[in-house]
Structures are given as C-alpha cells and as structure tokens.
Amino acid sequence: MEQSTKQKRIFSAVQPSGNLTLGNYLGALKNWADLQDQFECIYCVADLHAITVRQEPAVLRKKSLDTLALYLACGIDPKKATFFLQSHIPEHTQLSWVLGCNTMFGELSRMTQFKDKSQKHADNINAGLFTYPVLMAADILLYQADLVPVGSDQKQHIELTRDIATRFNNSYSPTFTVPEAYILKSSARIMSLAEPERKMSKSDPNANASIFMLDRKDDIIRKFKRAVTDSEAVVAADPARLGIYNLVNIYSSLTGKSAEEIEREFEGKGYGDFKIAVGEACADVLAPVQKEFDLLTRDKAYLDGILREGTEKASCIARKTIQKVYRKVGFYLPNSK
Ligand code: TYM
C-alpha cells in the first residue's frame, strides 16, 4: 500500500469545550509533541464536536483559538505539524454523513461517553451527541491516519472507527487506512483529585477536582495538597488505592521516573511531602507552557496565519479522500473537462 513506504500519519483533536486540564496535557498534548519528529502529525481543534453540549458562542470562539495556542505552547511546531479548526474543513461533515449511513444504531447506543453525557445533560440529549463518534471517525479516516494518540476514555471511539473503516472497505473495496489508538500507560487516564474513581474532566463543576493547564503555581500546589488519598500513608503504585495511585501516575508522567523509583524516593515520608513534590513538578512543567501561551495569544495574526496554512494543507488531503468516497458510494460526478 501507498502508506507503507511513507512516514506514518498521526491525527488527533481536543474539543474546545472548556479549560484544558492536566488530563488533556498528559493524556494527549504532551505525547503529541513527543511524536512530531517521528510522524507526520495533523492536530485539529474539534469545535463541531463541542456544540453537542450547549456553548456560549463568544466563549467557544475564544476557547477555539486558545486551544490552538495551547497546542503550540506545548512545543508542537507548526513547521512540523498541521493545525486547523474542524469547522473550517467541510469534508468532515460530508464524510460524517456517509459514515453515518454505514454505522449501526446499536453500535452508537453502546458508547459509554454517550450514556455518560446523556445523564449529565438530560435536558439536551440531541442527535449530535448520539452521532458524535461518527464525526470522530470521519475526522480520523478523512486523513487516512495510522495512529491516534488519545487517553483511554477515547479507546471505544477508536475501536468503533476501526469497525466502520473495515466495514466500508469490505463493502466498497479498500478506501480507508484502519487506524490504531496510541495510548501511554501511565497517563492514559488521569483521575479527578477530589473523586479519584472518576476521570479528571474539563467539565467538572468542582474546580478543585482538576488541575487546569493555565492554573497558577499556588493553585496547583493547593489542589494537590487537598487531593483525596487514604489513611495508609505509604506512597505506592497500588491500583486498589485510587487516590495515591493517581498521584504516582501523575508524578511519573511529569518527571519520567518509574513507579519503583518514586516509591523509593518517598519511602518513609508521608503523603504531605509527596503531594508538594507532585505539585511542584506539575507547576514546573506547566510554567513554560503558560509563558508561551501568554505570548502566543497576544499575536492573533500569527495564530490566524497558522490556521490558514494548516487548513490549506489539511484540505488537500480531505478533498482527495471525500472524492474517493463519493465515487465509491456511487455519487455521480460530472466530467471536469
Ligand atoms: P477531549 O476534548 O475530551 O480530550 C482531549 C484528549 O485528552 C484526553 N483526555 C485524558 N487523558 C487522560 N486522562 C484524562 N483525565 C483525560 N481527559 C481527556 C482524551 O482522551 C483526548 O485524547 N472526542 C475527543 C476529541 C476528538 C478526537 C477526534 C480525538 C474529536 N475528533 C479524532 C481523536 C481523534 C474528545 O472529546 O477529547
């Protein structure tokens, strides 16, 4: 196949539906930056997905550009990676329709994110919330991505994407690259600091449950100090002790130290010392990102330029795929001559 001789392609996205958290950073953005030298990377701001939940228009507009600025501030280089907003490339919604006609109601009904969000937004269980994974499949398949770096909460969606791609390929002849999820173990699922049985989330109403990427050092340390743990007072990577396990994973992802090294480092010390060390490590990692973010958001013309260039590049790939798909499903295309 064409792809095997070429550099593998990565696609991923974040919804600009709130303030990005440490979960988004460790589960996604940090890895995106690490992958840019090895792969051809395409990173999107998923603004279409964001409106499956009600958004304040002015806030959504601002958060969309802020999300792009955060991608860049994490060290993802626009000379190496391609950036764009999902709503700027109409092929996403075009492909989403075709894929929706190749996705079963039962498959979408089984998605845990749909079930969770329907519970959280019981007054707004809209069709977009239900077909959300189809649009996500369209995002990925449009660019013939090989790998999709995400946190483990997105694994089910990637599996569905694989099923849709395989079904389409079998029905219409090979069309899509069947992508794989790329998930790092220690940062796959960063949990809430207040309720460690739940994932850390942008939309958590309890501000103490999440570290936000733009939180100041004092707040970061305070939130880690208050993080829910247990009464055993032994720093250990024990999955049964959710709170401390989460903090060990966070510290490991931030510092690159293994769980064993961390257990040794804090042997005989209480949770207090450990929590401060995690807070300091987190603030140290986020400080340069925040500094860069402040600079970038002052230069809207620069960000717009990055988007224009990225949209142009991504559009070329998207157009090719949609033309291929339209031809395969039997849509009449007039002769261009
Ligand atoms: P979103 O915006 O919820 O999250 C963006 C990325 O951050 C990861 N993530 C986490 N990782 C570890 N621990 C956490 N607590 C945590 N919270 C979030 C997510 O797994 C994700 O990688 N549907 C997607 C956006 C999307 C997308 C795509 C992703 C749209 N199209 C195509 C990949 C490919 C979403 O809502 O992510």
Side-chain angles (χ1 to χ4, degrees):
M1 278 251 312
E2 192 192 12
Q3 287 275 323
S4 62
T5 52
K6 280 204 289 191
Q7 200 181 21
K8 285 200 171 178
R9 187 176 287 155
I10 297 247
F11 179 92
S12 203
V14 172
Q15 287 188 81
S17 50
N19 294 321
L20 269 57
T21 69
L22 184 63
N24 297 128
Y25 177 71
L26 293 176
L29 266 57
K30 180 178 179 293
N31 309 324
W32 297 5
D34 295 343
L35 294 167
Q36 64 184 338
D37 292 318
Q38 247 173 299
F39 299 101
E40 180 193 347
C41 299
I42 304 179
Y43 296 131
C44 160
V45 177
D47 53 356
L48 295 173
H49 274 112
I51 63 162
T52 52
V53 168
R54 284 194 194 95
Q55 303 290 337
E56 186 64 47
V59 176
L60 176 61
R61 209 168 284 128
K62 179 178 182 311
K63 295 254 180 272
S64 298
L65 205 64
D66 282 359
T67 303
L68 169 73
L70 275 174
Y71 291 178
L72 298 168
C74 288
I76 310 168
D77 182 350
K79 291 198 194 74
K80 295 182 187 159
T82 302
F83 301 93
F84 66 92
L85 301 194
Q86 194 182 25
S87 64
H88 291 182
I89 301 194
E91 283 84 355
H92 287 252
T93 40
Q94 292 177 314
L95 182 59
S96 182
W97 177 257
V98 177
L99 296 182
C101 297
N102 288 274
T103 307
M104 299 302 123
F105 181 87
E107 289 177 307
L108 293 176
S109 310
R110 283 194 288 278
M111 295 293 114
T112 51
Q113 186 173 299
F114 172 68
K115 291 186 208 162
D116 288 353
K117 287 206 176 171
S118 312
Q119 261 183 0
K120 270 197 214 153
H121 304 278
D123 61 332
N124 184 24
I125 309 176
N126 59 72
L129 200 59
F130 188 65
T131 57
Y132 178 115
V134 180
L135 179 60
M136 186 163 155
D139 296 342
I140 299 166
L141 300 181
L142 200 51
Y143 299 97
Q144 308 287 359
D146 299 281
L147 293 174
V148 187
V150 283
S152 63
D153 61 325
Q154 296 300 320
K155 194 166 172 229
Q156 196 186 30
H157 290 160
I158 314 277
E159 259 147 32
L160 178 64
T161 302
R162 290 171 57 84
D163 291 344
I164 298 172
T166 306
R167 182 176 304 137
F168 192 98
N169 288 348
N170 290 338
S171 305
Y172 295 100
S173 81
T175 308
F176 296 120
T177 303
V178 180
E180 270 175 57
Y182 179 93
I183 299 173
L184 290 187
K185 192 168 167 277
S186 68
S187 56
R189 194 168 172 82
I190 303 298
M191 309 308 279
S192 153
L193 299 186
E195 294 169 90
E197 60 286 351
R198 291 169 49 166
K199 80 164 185 177
M200 187 181 285
S201 161
K202 298 185 206 97
S203 55
D204 197 321
N206 176 0
N208 290 320
S210 308
I211 302 288
F212 296 104
M213 287 181 70
L214 298 175
D215 274 349
R216 296 295 152 195
K217 184 167 182 170
D218 290 355
D219 290 323
I220 294 176
I221 308 258
R222 180 180 49 79
K223 289 184 192 179
F224 276 114
K225 274 190 187 164
R226 293 178 52 150
V228 169
T229 44
D230 51 54
S231 53
E232 289 202 27
V234 178
V235 175
D238 176 358
R241 290 159 56 204
L242 298 176
I244 196 70
Y245 182 63
N246 186 36
L247 295 184
V248 171
N249 276 335
I250 292 176
Y251 192 59
S252 168
S253 309
L254 288 167
T255 59
K257 293 177 187 170
S258 69
E260 296 72 38
E261 282 175 284
I262 296 168
E263 286 173 355
R264 247 179 281 126
E265 185 180 343
F266 291 94
E267 208 177 328
K269 294 185 188 155
Y271 285 165
D273 287 346
F274 179 53
K275 285 177 170 179
I276 291 172
V278 183
E280 298 267 355
C282 182
D284 286 350
V285 166
L286 292 180
V289 175
Q290 295 175 354
K291 201 168 151 210
E292 192 59 26
F293 174 84
D294 286 342
L295 288 175
L296 285 162
T297 44
R298 270 183 238 150
D299 195 349
K300 194 165 164 291
Y302 174 72
L303 296 176
D304 284 349
I306 302 246
L307 282 183
R308 263 195 303 276
E309 207 175 299
T311 307
E312 203 177 304
K313 270 207 242 162
S315 283
C316 286
I317 308 173
R319 211 173 305 129
K320 253 200 206 159
T321 306
I322 203 74
Q323 280 171 358
K324 194 161 143 189
V325 168
Y326 274 15
R327 188 163 28 80
K328 296 223 181 179
V329 298
F331 294 159
Y332 176 74
L333 299 174
N335 206 321
S336 55
K337 269 191 260 170

